[in-house]
Amino acid sequence: MSGRALKDLNVSQSADLENGKDNSVKSCITKPVLNGNKCANKEEKAPSACHDAVTNGNAAAIADVEYIDSENLVDLPDVDAALSTLAKRLDSKDWVMTCEALNNVRQLAMYHKERLQELLEPLVPLIVKSVKNPRSAVCKTALMTCADIFKAYGDLMVHSIDPLLVQLFLKASQDKRFVCEAAEAALISMTSWISPLLLLPRMLPYLKNKNPRIRAKASVCFSKSVPRLDVVGIKEYGMDKLIQIAATQLSDQLPESREAARNLALELQAFYEKSQASTSDEHEVEASASPDAESWEAFCQSKLSALSAQAILRVTSTTTKECVTSAPKEGLAVGC
């Protein structure tokens, strides 16, 4: 072959490669993603989407990622087919198939709760595996799945929640904000839909975890779950246990843990004083005979060491009664 012919062939191949590159980037940006008739949220930035492109020989396979809000989930067209392959697809090495299966779990939890419940126990480890997946798209979709199944099944999830807890606490403290926000939403769902009497004992070991970030997230969740207990619930769990937990977390190394402990101490003081006021109304004569037994200060000093009692009393005495009654309860701020 002549030198001129070789030169022409090289130029032609270069042009083909360049055109192929341009086409793949374009499809990566413009390909729409739909969920039924409703558009789903997805990554809009070309670099992020193109990182998920998988090449097979000379052909590039482009995969879009759906981040579908719960309210936009539609029912599955073939429930039996989805259920029959669900576990296999969740455990697939194809990350796109895994994301699709995770969204199917969310759809089933919303529209076919009873049928999914039969498979839920073996599916939870696969969901945990997806939460741990280094690919952010899989991780975020799995976290969204956690939020939906907490809402769907509530207390039924408590026996399966242990392997999920540590991952949720870790993901809520990582640097990728969109993953952190999804983990935060899952924790909000967990503390909102699972009974605090069942959830608090499950979270208790993580308050002593060696990882300070896990301790901090556990402390925040713990402090946000306690207000959902009424006076009877707090007495059942143990007021003395709760005040000891608050005192311990007040000395934690992370500010987030200490702030959660302060909020918990204020909540406990409010509950205690409300309980004592109710008791005083019912037993006015007995109450007036032993006023010291009713005081918050006396309670703390009887249940805690001198230093711990002093720390709790310093927190609760420097806050006005108005601040105590308006302590934030509405959301879980895990601080991404």
Side-chain angles (χ1 to χ4, degrees), residues 13-25 27 53-62:
Q13 289 176 338
S14 298
D16 290 340
L17 288 173
E18 186 64 30
N19 290 335
K21 179 180 178 182
D22 289 342
N23 291 336
S24 66
V25 172
S27 63
V54 180
T55 58
N56 180 19
N58 294 326
I62 306 301

mmCIF file with all atom_site columns, all heavy atoms in Angstrom, residues 13-25 27 53-62:
data_model
loop_
_atom_site.group_PDB
_atom_site.id
_atom_site.type_symbol
_atom_site.label_atom_id
_atom_site.label_alt_id
_atom_site.label_comp_id
_atom_site.label_asym_id
_atom_site.label_entity_id
_atom_site.label_seq_id
_atom_site.pdbx_PDB_ins_code
_atom_site.Cartn_x
_atom_site.Cartn_y
_atom_site.Cartn_z
_atom_site.occupancy
_atom_site.B_iso_or_equiv
_atom_site.pdbx_formal_charge
_atom_site.auth_seq_id
_atom_site.auth_comp_id
_atom_site.auth_asym_id
_atom_site.auth_atom_id
_atom_site.pdbx_PDB_model_num
ATOM 1   N N   . GLN A 1 13 ? -10.080 7.170  9.603  1.00 0.00 ? 13 GLN A N   1
ATOM 2   C CA  . GLN A 1 13 ? -10.345 6.549  10.894 1.00 0.00 ? 13 GLN A CA  1
ATOM 3   C C   . GLN A 1 13 ? -10.442 7.593  12.002 1.00 0.00 ? 13 GLN A C   1
ATOM 4   O O   . GLN A 1 13 ? -11.283 7.495  12.901 1.00 0.00 ? 13 GLN A O   1
ATOM 5   C CB  . GLN A 1 13 ? -9.244  5.537  11.217 1.00 0.00 ? 13 GLN A CB  1
ATOM 6   C CG  . GLN A 1 13 ? -9.309  4.287  10.344 1.00 0.00 ? 13 GLN A CG  1
ATOM 7   C CD  . GLN A 1 13 ? -8.146  3.351  10.616 1.00 0.00 ? 13 GLN A CD  1
ATOM 8   O OE1 . GLN A 1 13 ? -7.108  3.779  11.125 1.00 0.00 ? 13 GLN A OE1 1
ATOM 9   N NE2 . GLN A 1 13 ? -8.304  2.083  10.256 1.00 0.00 ? 13 GLN A NE2 1
ATOM 10  N N   . SER A 1 14 ? -9.592  8.602  11.953 1.00 0.00 ? 14 SER A N   1
ATOM 11  C CA  . SER A 1 14 ? -9.621  9.661  12.968 1.00 0.00 ? 14 SER A CA  1
ATOM 12  C C   . SER A 1 14 ? -10.954 10.403 12.923 1.00 0.00 ? 14 SER A C   1
ATOM 13  O O   . SER A 1 14 ? -11.538 10.745 13.959 1.00 0.00 ? 14 SER A O   1
ATOM 14  C CB  . SER A 1 14 ? -8.462  10.641 12.764 1.00 0.00 ? 14 SER A CB  1
ATOM 15  O OG  . SER A 1 14 ? -7.227  9.965  12.897 1.00 0.00 ? 14 SER A OG  1
ATOM 16  N N   . ALA A 1 15 ? -11.436 10.671 11.730 1.00 0.00 ? 15 ALA A N   1
ATOM 17  C CA  . ALA A 1 15 ? -12.709 11.379 11.585 1.00 0.00 ? 15 ALA A CA  1
ATOM 18  C C   . ALA A 1 15 ? -13.856 10.554 12.136 1.00 0.00 ? 15 ALA A C   1
ATOM 19  O O   . ALA A 1 15 ? -14.761 11.066 12.796 1.00 0.00 ? 15 ALA A O   1
ATOM 20  C CB  . ALA A 1 15 ? -12.949 11.699 10.098 1.00 0.00 ? 15 ALA A CB  1
ATOM 21  N N   . ASP A 1 16 ? -13.815 9.232  11.866 1.00 0.00 ? 16 ASP A N   1
ATOM 22  C CA  . ASP A 1 16 ? -14.872 8.352  12.376 1.00 0.00 ? 16 ASP A CA  1
ATOM 23  C C   . ASP A 1 16 ? -14.885 8.329  13.888 1.00 0.00 ? 16 ASP A C   1
ATOM 24  O O   . ASP A 1 16 ? -15.939 8.372  14.530 1.00 0.00 ? 16 ASP A O   1
ATOM 25  C CB  . ASP A 1 16 ? -14.689 6.930  11.842 1.00 0.00 ? 16 ASP A CB  1
ATOM 26  C CG  . ASP A 1 16 ? -14.980 6.834  10.357 1.00 0.00 ? 16 ASP A CG  1
ATOM 27  O OD1 . ASP A 1 16 ? -15.669 7.745  9.836  1.00 0.00 ? 16 ASP A OD1 1
ATOM 28  O OD2 . ASP A 1 16 ? -14.550 5.846  9.722  1.00 0.00 ? 16 ASP A OD2 1
ATOM 29  N N   . LEU A 1 17 ? -13.693 8.212  14.489 1.00 0.00 ? 17 LEU A N   1
ATOM 30  C CA  . LEU A 1 17 ? -13.598 8.192  15.948 1.00 0.00 ? 17 LEU A CA  1
ATOM 31  C C   . LEU A 1 17 ? -14.111 9.486  16.551 1.00 0.00 ? 17 LEU A C   1
ATOM 32  O O   . LEU A 1 17 ? -14.812 9.502  17.572 1.00 0.00 ? 17 LEU A O   1
ATOM 33  C CB  . LEU A 1 17 ? -12.149 7.948  16.389 1.00 0.00 ? 17 LEU A CB  1
ATOM 34  C CG  . LEU A 1 17 ? -11.620 6.518  16.169 1.00 0.00 ? 17 LEU A CG  1
ATOM 35  C CD1 . LEU A 1 17 ? -10.127 6.471  16.477 1.00 0.00 ? 17 LEU A CD1 1
ATOM 36  C CD2 . LEU A 1 17 ? -12.368 5.533  17.054 1.00 0.00 ? 17 LEU A CD2 1
ATOM 37  N N   . GLU A 1 18 ? -13.755 10.616 15.925 1.00 0.00 ? 18 GLU A N   1
ATOM 38  C CA  . GLU A 1 18 ? -14.181 11.908 16.443 1.00 0.00 ? 18 GLU A CA  1
ATOM 39  C C   . GLU A 1 18 ? -15.697 12.044 16.372 1.00 0.00 ? 18 GLU A C   1
ATOM 40  O O   . GLU A 1 18 ? -16.345 12.508 17.302 1.00 0.00 ? 18 GLU A O   1
ATOM 41  C CB  . GLU A 1 18 ? -13.502 13.021 15.649 1.00 0.00 ? 18 GLU A CB  1
ATOM 42  C CG  . GLU A 1 18 ? -13.752 14.418 16.192 1.00 0.00 ? 18 GLU A CG  1
ATOM 43  C CD  . GLU A 1 18 ? -13.162 14.593 17.580 1.00 0.00 ? 18 GLU A CD  1
ATOM 44  O OE1 . GLU A 1 18 ? -12.141 13.936 17.877 1.00 0.00 ? 18 GLU A OE1 1
ATOM 45  O OE2 . GLU A 1 18 ? -13.731 15.369 18.365 1.00 0.00 ? 18 GLU A OE2 1
ATOM 46  N N   . ASN A 1 19 ? -16.281 11.590 15.246 1.00 0.00 ? 19 ASN A N   1
ATOM 47  C CA  . ASN A 1 19 ? -17.734 11.661 15.094 1.00 0.00 ? 19 ASN A CA  1
ATOM 48  C C   . ASN A 1 19 ? -18.431 10.764 16.105 1.00 0.00 ? 19 ASN A C   1
ATOM 49  O O   . ASN A 1 19 ? -19.440 11.116 16.691 1.00 0.00 ? 19 ASN A O   1
ATOM 50  C CB  . ASN A 1 19 ? -18.150 11.243 13.674 1.00 0.00 ? 19 ASN A CB  1
ATOM 51  C CG  . ASN A 1 19 ? -17.743 12.276 12.634 1.00 0.00 ? 19 ASN A CG  1
ATOM 52  O OD1 . ASN A 1 19 ? -17.585 13.441 12.970 1.00 0.00 ? 19 ASN A OD1 1
ATOM 53  N ND2 . ASN A 1 19 ? -17.574 11.843 11.377 1.00 0.00 ? 19 ASN A ND2 1
ATOM 54  N N   . GLY A 1 20 ? -17.870 9.585  16.340 1.00 0.00 ? 20 GLY A N   1
ATOM 55  C CA  . GLY A 1 20 ? -18.453 8.674  17.328 1.00 0.00 ? 20 GLY A CA  1
ATOM 56  C C   . GLY A 1 20 ? -18.430 9.269  18.710 1.00 0.00 ? 20 GLY A C   1
ATOM 57  O O   . GLY A 1 20 ? -19.374 9.143  19.483 1.00 0.00 ? 20 GLY A O   1
ATOM 58  N N   . LYS A 1 21 ? -17.339 9.942  19.066 1.00 0.00 ? 21 LYS A N   1
ATOM 59  C CA  . LYS A 1 21 ? -17.231 10.584 20.385 1.00 0.00 ? 21 LYS A CA  1
ATOM 60  C C   . LYS A 1 21 ? -18.287 11.674 20.542 1.00 0.00 ? 21 LYS A C   1
ATOM 61  O O   . LYS A 1 21 ? -18.948 11.776 21.562 1.00 0.00 ? 21 LYS A O   1
ATOM 62  C CB  . LYS A 1 21 ? -15.837 11.170 20.557 1.00 0.00 ? 21 LYS A CB  1
ATOM 63  C CG  . LYS A 1 21 ? -15.632 11.879 21.880 1.00 0.00 ? 21 LYS A CG  1
ATOM 64  C CD  . LYS A 1 21 ? -14.215 12.428 21.979 1.00 0.00 ? 21 LYS A CD  1
ATOM 65  C CE  . LYS A 1 21 ? -14.016 13.172 23.285 1.00 0.00 ? 21 LYS A CE  1
ATOM 66  N NZ  . LYS A 1 21 ? -12.680 13.764 23.391 1.00 0.00 ? 21 LYS A NZ  1
ATOM 67  N N   . ASP A 1 22 ? -18.467 12.472 19.503 1.00 0.00 ? 22 ASP A N   1
ATOM 68  C CA  . ASP A 1 22 ? -19.439 13.552 19.581 1.00 0.00 ? 22 ASP A CA  1
ATOM 69  C C   . ASP A 1 22 ? -20.848 13.002 19.748 1.00 0.00 ? 22 ASP A C   1
ATOM 70  O O   . ASP A 1 22 ? -21.647 13.511 20.522 1.00 0.00 ? 22 ASP A O   1
ATOM 71  C CB  . ASP A 1 22 ? -19.357 14.433 18.332 1.00 0.00 ? 22 ASP A CB  1
ATOM 72  C CG  . ASP A 1 22 ? -18.080 15.258 18.301 1.00 0.00 ? 22 ASP A CG  1
ATOM 73  O OD1 . ASP A 1 22 ? -17.453 15.411 19.370 1.00 0.00 ? 22 ASP A OD1 1
ATOM 74  O OD2 . ASP A 1 22 ? -17.725 15.732 17.219 1.00 0.00 ? 22 ASP A OD2 1
ATOM 75  N N   . ASN A 1 23 ? -21.166 11.927 19.018 1.00 0.00 ? 23 ASN A N   1
ATOM 76  C CA  . ASN A 1 23 ? -22.503 11.361 19.098 1.00 0.00 ? 23 ASN A CA  1
ATOM 77  C C   . ASN A 1 23 ? -22.784 10.786 20.470 1.00 0.00 ? 23 ASN A C   1
ATOM 78  O O   . ASN A 1 23 ? -23.876 10.890 20.992 1.00 0.00 ? 23 ASN A O   1
ATOM 79  C CB  . ASN A 1 23 ? -22.675 10.265 18.031 1.00 0.00 ? 23 ASN A CB  1
ATOM 80  C CG  . ASN A 1 23 ? -22.700 10.841 16.625 1.00 0.00 ? 23 ASN A CG  1
ATOM 81  O OD1 . ASN A 1 23 ? -23.030 12.006 16.455 1.00 0.00 ? 23 ASN A OD1 1
ATOM 82  N ND2 . ASN A 1 23 ? -22.353 10.030 15.624 1.00 0.00 ? 23 ASN A ND2 1
ATOM 83  N N   . SER A 1 24 ? -21.788 10.129 21.079 1.00 0.00 ? 24 SER A N   1
ATOM 84  C CA  . SER A 1 24 ? -22.007 9.520  22.393 1.00 0.00 ? 24 SER A CA  1
ATOM 85  C C   . SER A 1 24 ? -22.239 10.573 23.456 1.00 0.00 ? 24 SER A C   1
ATOM 86  O O   . SER A 1 24 ? -23.079 10.409 24.327 1.00 0.00 ? 24 SER A O   1
ATOM 87  C CB  . SER A 1 24 ? -20.807 8.633  22.787 1.00 0.00 ? 24 SER A CB  1
ATOM 88  O OG  . SER A 1 24 ? -19.647 9.423  22.985 1.00 0.00 ? 24 SER A OG  1
ATOM 89  N N   . VAL A 1 25 ? -21.500 11.680 23.395 1.00 0.00 ? 25 VAL A N   1
ATOM 90  C CA  . VAL A 1 25 ? -21.692 12.749 24.370 1.00 0.00 ? 25 VAL A CA  1
ATOM 91  C C   . VAL A 1 25 ? -23.068 13.368 24.209 1.00 0.00 ? 25 VAL A C   1
ATOM 92  O O   . VAL A 1 25 ? -23.765 13.635 25.181 1.00 0.00 ? 25 VAL A O   1
ATOM 93  C CB  . VAL A 1 25 ? -20.594 13.821 24.224 1.00 0.00 ? 25 VAL A CB  1
ATOM 94  C CG1 . VAL A 1 25 ? -20.906 15.032 25.093 1.00 0.00 ? 25 VAL A CG1 1
ATOM 95  C CG2 . VAL A 1 25 ? -19.232 13.233 24.587 1.00 0.00 ? 25 VAL A CG2 1
ATOM 96  N N   . SER A 1 27 ? -25.797 11.959 23.008 1.00 0.00 ? 27 SER A N   1
ATOM 97  C CA  . SER A 1 27 ? -26.856 11.090 23.515 1.00 0.00 ? 27 SER A CA  1
ATOM 98  C C   . SER A 1 27 ? -26.842 11.047 25.022 1.00 0.00 ? 27 SER A C   1
ATOM 99  O O   . SER A 1 27 ? -27.873 10.883 25.658 1.00 0.00 ? 27 SER A O   1
ATOM 100 C CB  . SER A 1 27 ? -26.675 9.672  22.954 1.00 0.00 ? 27 SER A CB  1
ATOM 101 O OG  . SER A 1 27 ? -25.449 9.113  23.410 1.00 0.00 ? 27 SER A OG  1
ATOM 102 N N   . ALA A 1 53 ? -21.162 5.805  31.299 1.00 0.00 ? 53 ALA A N   1
ATOM 103 C CA  . ALA A 1 53 ? -21.166 5.142  30.008 1.00 0.00 ? 53 ALA A CA  1
ATOM 104 C C   . ALA A 1 53 ? -20.265 3.916  30.048 1.00 0.00 ? 53 ALA A C   1
ATOM 105 O O   . ALA A 1 53 ? -19.191 3.941  30.619 1.00 0.00 ? 53 ALA A O   1
ATOM 106 C CB  . ALA A 1 53 ? -20.686 6.105  28.924 1.00 0.00 ? 53 ALA A CB  1
ATOM 107 N N   . VAL A 1 54 ? -20.727 2.833  29.433 1.00 0.00 ? 54 VAL A N   1
ATOM 108 C CA  . VAL A 1 54 ? -19.964 1.596  29.426 1.00 0.00 ? 54 VAL A CA  1
ATOM 109 C C   . VAL A 1 54 ? -19.643 1.252  27.986 1.00 0.00 ? 54 VAL A C   1
ATOM 110 O O   . VAL A 1 54 ? -20.543 1.145  27.156 1.00 0.00 ? 54 VAL A O   1
ATOM 111 C CB  . VAL A 1 54 ? -20.773 0.443  30.070 1.00 0.00 ? 54 VAL A CB  1
ATOM 112 C CG1 . VAL A 1 54 ? -19.972 -0.839 30.051 1.00 0.00 ? 54 VAL A CG1 1
ATOM 113 C CG2 . VAL A 1 54 ? -21.170 0.818  31.485 1.00 0.00 ? 54 VAL A CG2 1
ATOM 114 N N   . THR A 1 55 ? -18.380 1.078  27.693 1.00 0.00 ? 55 THR A N   1
ATOM 115 C CA  . THR A 1 55 ? -17.992 0.772  26.328 1.00 0.00 ? 55 THR A CA  1
ATOM 116 C C   . THR A 1 55 ? -17.888 -0.729 26.141 1.00 0.00 ? 55 THR A C   1
ATOM 117 O O   . THR A 1 55 ? -17.439 -1.457 27.019 1.00 0.00 ? 55 THR A O   1
ATOM 118 C CB  . THR A 1 55 ? -16.638 1.427  25.996 1.00 0.00 ? 55 THR A CB  1
ATOM 119 O OG1 . THR A 1 55 ? -15.667 0.968  26.924 1.00 0.00 ? 55 THR A OG1 1
ATOM 120 C CG2 . THR A 1 55 ? -16.746 2.937  26.054 1.00 0.00 ? 55 THR A CG2 1
ATOM 121 N N   . ASN A 1 56 ? -18.329 -1.206 24.991 1.00 0.00 ? 56 ASN A N   1
ATOM 122 C CA  . ASN A 1 56 ? -18.246 -2.620 24.652 1.00 0.00 ? 56 ASN A CA  1
ATOM 123 C C   . ASN A 1 56 ? -17.658 -2.700 23.254 1.00 0.00 ? 56 ASN A C   1
ATOM 124 O O   . ASN A 1 56 ? -18.339 -2.555 22.264 1.00 0.00 ? 56 ASN A O   1
ATOM 125 C CB  . ASN A 1 56 ? -19.638 -3.254 24.703 1.00 0.00 ? 56 ASN A CB  1
ATOM 126 C CG  . ASN A 1 56 ? -19.597 -4.726 24.350 1.00 0.00 ? 56 ASN A CG  1
ATOM 127 O OD1 . ASN A 1 56 ? -18.543 -5.337 24.422 1.00 0.00 ? 56 ASN A OD1 1
ATOM 128 N ND2 . ASN A 1 56 ? -20.743 -5.271 23.945 1.00 0.00 ? 56 ASN A ND2 1
ATOM 129 N N   . GLY A 1 57 ? -16.344 -2.933 23.179 1.00 0.00 ? 57 GLY A N   1
ATOM 130 C CA  . GLY A 1 57 ? -15.665 -2.892 21.899 1.00 0.00 ? 57 GLY A CA  1
ATOM 131 C C   . GLY A 1 57 ? -15.610 -1.474 21.387 1.00 0.00 ? 57 GLY A C   1
ATOM 132 O O   . GLY A 1 57 ? -15.176 -0.561 22.078 1.00 0.00 ? 57 GLY A O   1
ATOM 133 N N   . ASN A 1 58 ? -16.130 -1.253 20.205 1.00 0.00 ? 58 ASN A N   1
ATOM 134 C CA  . ASN A 1 58 ? -16.133 0.079  19.618 1.00 0.00 ? 58 ASN A CA  1
ATOM 135 C C   . ASN A 1 58 ? -17.451 0.815  19.843 1.00 0.00 ? 58 ASN A C   1
ATOM 136 O O   . ASN A 1 58 ? -17.590 1.954  19.468 1.00 0.00 ? 58 ASN A O   1
ATOM 137 C CB  . ASN A 1 58 ? -15.884 -0.013 18.098 1.00 0.00 ? 58 ASN A CB  1
ATOM 138 C CG  . ASN A 1 58 ? -14.494 -0.518 17.796 1.00 0.00 ? 58 ASN A CG  1
ATOM 139 O OD1 . ASN A 1 58 ? -13.566 -0.231 18.539 1.00 0.00 ? 58 ASN A OD1 1
ATOM 140 N ND2 . ASN A 1 58 ? -14.351 -1.279 16.703 1.00 0.00 ? 58 ASN A ND2 1
ATOM 141 N N   . ALA A 1 59 ? -18.438 0.123  20.465 1.00 0.00 ? 59 ALA A N   1
ATOM 142 C CA  . ALA A 1 59 ? -19.747 0.741  20.657 1.00 0.00 ? 59 ALA A CA  1
ATOM 143 C C   . ALA A 1 59 ? -19.889 1.201  22.093 1.00 0.00 ? 59 ALA A C   1
ATOM 144 O O   . ALA A 1 59 ? -19.512 0.513  23.016 1.00 0.00 ? 59 ALA A O   1
ATOM 145 C CB  . ALA A 1 59 ? -20.855 -0.256 20.323 1.00 0.00 ? 59 ALA A CB  1
ATOM 146 N N   . ALA A 1 60 ? -20.457 2.377  22.290 1.00 0.00 ? 60 ALA A N   1
ATOM 147 C CA  . ALA A 1 60 ? -20.652 2.921  23.637 1.00 0.00 ? 60 ALA A CA  1
ATOM 148 C C   . ALA A 1 60 ? -22.112 2.755  24.029 1.00 0.00 ? 60 ALA A C   1
ATOM 149 O O   . ALA A 1 60 ? -23.007 3.178  23.310 1.00 0.00 ? 60 ALA A O   1
ATOM 150 C CB  . ALA A 1 60 ? -20.264 4.399  23.693 1.00 0.00 ? 60 ALA A CB  1
ATOM 151 N N   . ALA A 1 61 ? -22.340 2.108  25.184 1.00 0.00 ? 61 ALA A N   1
ATOM 152 C CA  . ALA A 1 61 ? -23.702 1.932  25.697 1.00 0.00 ? 61 ALA A CA  1
ATOM 153 C C   . ALA A 1 61 ? -23.956 2.989  26.761 1.00 0.00 ? 61 ALA A C   1
ATOM 154 O O   . ALA A 1 61 ? -23.274 3.018  27.772 1.00 0.00 ? 61 ALA A O   1
ATOM 155 C CB  . ALA A 1 61 ? -23.864 0.537  26.286 1.00 0.00 ? 61 ALA A CB  1
ATOM 156 N N   . ILE A 1 62 ? -24.923 3.851  26.527 1.00 0.00 ? 62 ILE A N   1
ATOM 157 C CA  . ILE A 1 62 ? -25.209 4.955  27.429 1.00 0.00 ? 62 ILE A CA  1
ATOM 158 C C   . ILE A 1 62 ? -26.418 4.604  28.288 1.00 0.00 ? 62 ILE A C   1
ATOM 159 O O   . ILE A 1 62 ? -27.447 4.185  27.783 1.00 0.00 ? 62 ILE A O   1
ATOM 160 C CB  . ILE A 1 62 ? -25.487 6.252  26.646 1.00 0.00 ? 62 ILE A CB  1
ATOM 161 C CG1 . ILE A 1 62 ? -24.327 6.551  25.694 1.00 0.00 ? 62 ILE A CG1 1
ATOM 162 C CG2 . ILE A 1 62 ? -25.704 7.411  27.603 1.00 0.00 ? 62 ILE A CG2 1
ATOM 163 C CD1 . ILE A 1 62 ? -22.994 6.699  26.374 1.00 0.00 ? 62 ILE A CD1 1
#
